[in-house]
Amino acid sequence: MVALSGAHTIGRARCSSFNSRLKDSPNSEEPDVNPAFLSSLAQICSDSENENTTLTFLDLATPATFDNQYYVNLVSGEGLLASDHALGSIDSPARDIVESYAQDPSTFFEDFRTSIVKMGSIAPLLGDQGEIRRNCRSVNN
C-alpha cells in the first residue's frame, strides 16, 4: 500500500479534500507537518466559495513527473492528504519504507511496479458477490 500511494506523485486534489487540515492547529494533531507547507496550501485554498473546484497538485515540487518526490515530500512534512501525512508521520509504522523510497527511487519504482501488477490481477466481485460502484461514495441503487 505504501508503494501504491506513490501514485500521488502525479495528480491533483480539490481543496475540499484536505481543507480540514488547514483549519486545525498544525501543532496539536500533526506535530510533524511543515507549517510553511500548510500556509502555502491555505493561500491556494483561500477562496472558500470555490473549495470544491479549486485544485492543487498532490506533489507541488514535480507535479508532472512520476518520481519518488512524493516520499521526499512526506519525509519533509509535506503530505497533502491526511492519508499521505499519516504514511509519513514520524510515528507511522510505514515511516521506514517512506524514508527508503525517498532515498532510493529505484526501490520505489520496483516495488510500485510489483504492487500495481498485483493489484491489476484482482478480479472485481460481480453479481450477488459485489458490485462496481458508479459513485465510490454510495452503493448503487
Side-chain angles (χ1 to χ4, degrees):
M1 195 68 213
V2 178
L4 290 173
S5 293
H8 286 185
T9 193
I10 293 180
R12 297 179 183 204
R14 285 182 165 74
C15 288
S16 58
S17 300
F18 58 85
N19 68 354
S20 63
R21 296 183 65 215
L22 305 177
K23 296 173 185 171
D24 297 333
S25 169
N27 294 326
S28 61
E29 295 184 35
E30 299 179 309
D32 50 351
V33 71
N34 182 331
F37 174 68
L38 285 185
S39 179
S40 69
L41 292 178
Q43 280 188 306
I44 292 167
C45 299
S46 62
D47 185 356
S48 62
E49 290 182 24
N50 294 318
E51 70 179 22
N52 285 322
T53 57
T54 302
L55 297 170
T56 189
F57 291 108
L58 293 167
D59 171 4
L60 297 175
T62 58
T65 305
F66 188 80
D67 58 15
N68 70 326
Q69 184 63 44
Y70 166 78
Y71 299 102
V72 174
N73 295 345
L74 295 185
V75 170
S76 300
E78 298 177 4
L80 181 65
L81 304 175
S83 59
D84 298 333
H85 177 73
L87 278 180
S89 68
I90 292 169
D91 58 348
S92 169
R95 178 67 182 212
D96 289 343
I97 299 170
V98 168
E99 288 178 348
S100 74
Y101 291 164
Q103 294 169 5
D104 184 2
S106 61
T107 300
F108 161 60
F109 292 143
E110 180 63 28
D111 288 357
F112 183 85
R113 184 185 64 78
T114 301
S115 298
I116 201 80
V117 168
K118 185 175 180 180
M119 188 175 73
S121 68
I122 298 171
L125 299 175
L126 300 174
D128 294 342
Q129 296 179 340
E131 67 183 12
I132 298 173
R133 293 183 178 186
R134 288 184 285 278
N135 179 336
C136 295
R137 296 181 180 162
S138 61
V139 177
N140 296 338
N141 293 329

